[in-house]
Amino acid sequence: MNAPDLTEDDNAEHLGLYQRATESGAEWWRVSVADRPQTYRLEHGVDDAGRVGTVDIDLVVDAENLRAKLKKWRREGFAIDADDNGESDSDLNRRLAFMPELQRVAALASASTAKQRPRADSGETVRIAQVEVPCGVGGALVPPVNAAYLFPARFNDIVEDVVENRRVMLIGHTGAGKTSLIEQIAARSRHGVLRSNMNGQTTVGDFVGFWTVKGGETLWVDGVLPTAMREGLWLIVDEIDFAEPSILAALTAVLEPHGRLVLKEKGNEIVAPHPSFRLFATANAVGAMSQFRHLYQGANLMNEAFLDRWRVYLLDYLTPAEEADVLMRTLAPNMTRTLATTLAAIAADCRAAFAREDLSSAFSTRRLLDWAELMLRTGDPERAAAPAIYAKVSPEDAALIRGIVRHHIAPAD
Ligand SMILES: Nc1ncnc2c1ncn2[C@@H]1O[C@H](COP(=O)(O)OP(=O)(O)OP(=O)(O)O)[C@@H](O)[C@H]1O
Ligand SMILES: [Mg+2]
């Protein structure tokens, strides 16, 4: 650690974190550039017993005032990180310093980004997971709210990325909840959603747009991408690992937060994104899920440069406790805790068998809910399992799942 160098004229040299040890932690000043030229923002805080303190002083000063402060801090024993002056701490010191330093700057960064959040179209926000999400204007394309939908705290980062206008790709097994997560964020914040599934007949014309003749006139019809961009809708590109290269090429242009689309077929018309436009993708067999590619036949490998333009989240199935909650909430008032806990345990055992490759079919939350619903109607788990599970899998898989069910449910007398 070095004392601030006060002889330098260039105040940019002095940006950074100044700290001194206190009995129970550290006291610090952070110097950053303020909005107006030649002004500096000074933030002060005290960390206690390993806990990062909040900013208790936040002021803007001019260059002369900053120099006076630097002098005062030096007298008081504050020092700036040595790396700024070309001297490096020992590897051990740096290793120990990393986490406290990171926690301090992360706390400061999240306090200042919260202040700079984009305003909602309607001025309202709604709390989803633990994040304030600006609301949209509503409309016919807003998905219906699923009141039984559960937002565990681990979804916070995803919701935060949506607010920050990041491109979010969700990967995971079928029925893990990828599409519904985005739809339920949109439903609660009243944003319209368009979905485009790449595992089918979606052509670049459907996606980007095409010319057509109507009543003797030649008309351009926007595809889903320019429609969502112009109207500020959320676009979910489902099963992106099945998309044709020409669709991926069109997408690449809009992966930057303010990326614009050039409609080459329409005389190079430029489509700029509406501030509410968001882009999402889902995939089963990309990146960390590539090990399961044999289960998702026909999925393409995505290149790293393309993946690097997304925040890619691996979405696992809900835990048994969460899934039991979802069963209770979805099938209320008929589902009981005892039944829900057993059904969630059966799903978890089937997934474990799938992970060991004893079972060749995944066991989705969708499948579990459907089986449970039918079971409540028939009063018979086996009869309900026939159309909800057994008929969809190989005879070997059906036999194994039947064994798991019997292990958890004793037959009625
Ligand atoms: N967190 C949750 N809370 C409540 N229900 C959930 C949750 N996650 C998933 N589900 C249920 O699981 C169903 C399937 O989820 P979804 O269709 O989103 O899966 P997916 O991962 O997109 O599957 P696919 O890869 O087959 O498209 C949802 O309709 C919903 O009923
Ligand atoms: Mg889906």
Side-chain angles (χ1 to χ4, degrees):
M1 303 286 253
N2 265 14
D5 174 7
L6 301 175
T7 57
E8 265 299 339
D9 267 352
D10 179 9
N11 285 299
E13 289 280 310
H14 302 307
L15 302 181
L17 200 66
Y18 296 83
Q19 39 193 335
R20 67 175 179 184
T22 63
E23 267 176 25
S24 53
E27 182 185 358
W28 46 266
W29 282 95
R30 188 167 83 145
V31 181
S32 55
V33 177
D35 294 341
R36 278 178 293 123
Q38 289 297 302
T39 60
Y40 301 87
R41 181 171 178 196
L42 310 183
E43 293 162 291
H44 174 268
V46 180
D47 300 347
D48 239 352
R51 287 198 21 236
V52 179
T54 50
V55 175
D56 54 11
I57 303 174
D58 189 346
L59 49 109
V60 173
V61 299
D62 62 15
E64 196 179 327
N65 204 326
L66 172 64
R67 274 195 289 275
K69 292 276 187 211
L70 292 169
K71 230 177 236 170
K72 177 165 174 282
W73 295 342
R74 187 165 69 163
R75 278 201 307 276
E76 292 171 352
F78 285 90
I80 193 169
D81 203 314
D83 279 354
D84 289 352
N85 299 309
E87 286 175 27
S88 71
D89 286 348
S90 73
D91 288 351
L92 177 63
N93 282 348
R94 261 210 316 277
R95 181 164 179 265
L96 295 175
F98 192 93
M99 285 313 293
E101 189 93 2
L102 176 63
Q103 281 160 3
R104 188 175 303 126
V105 290
L108 286 169
S110 67
S112 63
T113 47
K115 286 185 203 151
Q116 295 161 8
R117 277 285 148 76
R119 285 182 51 77
D121 291 345
S122 56
E124 282 174 53
T125 61
V126 59
R127 205 171 179 78
I128 302 178
Q130 281 145 20
V131 182
E132 284 301 325
V133 180
C135 291
V137 290
L141 291 170
V142 177
V145 170
N146 171 0
Y149 198 85
L150 197 71
F151 283 97
R154 63 178 176 279
F155 291 174
N156 272 343
D157 282 339
I158 298 172
V159 182
E160 191 88 41
D161 276 353
V162 176
V163 176
E164 284 184 10
N165 199 1
R166 306 277 171 172
R167 305 312 184 208
V168 172
M169 184 186 294
L170 301 178
I171 59 173
H173 283 305
T174 174
K178 301 177 293 297
T179 309
S180 55
L181 171 56
I182 302 159
E183 284 182 337
Q184 287 309 306
I185 300 172
R188 276 148 215 244
S189 59
R190 302 200 307 268
H191 284 95
V193 173
L194 291 179
R195 278 174 67 177
S196 185
N197 197 311
M198 296 296 128
N199 192 5
Q201 276 81 48
T202 307
T203 63
V204 69
D206 303 328
F207 199 69
V208 174
F210 57 89
W211 288 104
T212 185
V213 179
K214 204 172 174 186
E217 233 185 303
T218 312
L219 295 173
W220 171 262
V221 180
D222 267 344
V224 283
L225 179 61
T227 302
M229 290 178 76
R230 290 191 218 267
E231 295 177 22
L233 300 167
W234 292 12
L235 175 60
I236 306 176
V237 182
D238 265 325
E239 305 193 55
I240 195 168
D241 40 352
F242 287 84
E244 325 176 350
S246 53
I247 291 183
L248 296 181
L251 266 179
T252 303
V254 298
L255 290 178
E256 309 298 330
H258 302 288
R260 299 189 300 174
L261 175 68
V262 179
L263 297 174
K264 287 195 209 80
E265 301 80 354
K266 202 186 172 197
N268 287 333
E269 181 181 309
I270 290 173
V271 184
H274 183 289
S276 296
F277 167 67
R278 294 289 183 279
L279 182 62
F280 302 90
T282 73
N284 296 122
V286 161
M289 289 291 293
S290 316
Q291 54 173 320
F292 299 107
R293 280 187 74 220
H294 55 288
L295 300 171
Y296 300 100
Q297 300 240 326
N300 299 312
L301 275 177
M302 314 234 76
N303 74 48
E304 280 183 34
F306 185 78
L307 284 180
D308 273 346
R309 290 173 161 79
W310 300 82
R311 290 261 166 91
V312 182
Y313 289 91
L314 178 59
L315 216 67
D316 212 338
Y317 290 113
L318 297 172
T319 65
E322 289 165 350
E323 215 161 32
D325 267 354
V326 170
L327 280 164
M328 300 274 294
R329 291 151 68 133
T330 308
L331 300 172
N334 298 321
M335 182 51 65
T336 69
R337 178 65 60 188
T338 307
L339 298 179
T341 304
T342 297
L343 294 176
I346 292 171
D349 279 0
C350 290
R351 287 168 198 157
F354 174 73
R356 289 193 307 270
E357 303 211 10
D358 289 346
L359 260 186
S360 63
S361 45
F363 202 99
S364 66
T365 302
R366 197 189 292 125
R367 185 172 285 183
L368 178 66
L369 286 168
D370 187 42
W371 178 38
E373 196 183 337
L374 195 49
M375 193 182 309
L376 290 179
R377 194 174 84 197
T378 59
D380 182 346
E382 271 298 305
R383 214 173 106 206
I389 308 172
Y390 300 148
K392 298 174 185 170
V393 301
S394 68
E396 297 76 30
D397 276 6
L400 206 144
I401 297 170
R402 192 173 281 120
I404 293 174
V405 173
R406 289 208 178 129
H407 173 78
H408 285 272
I409 304 175
D413 297 327

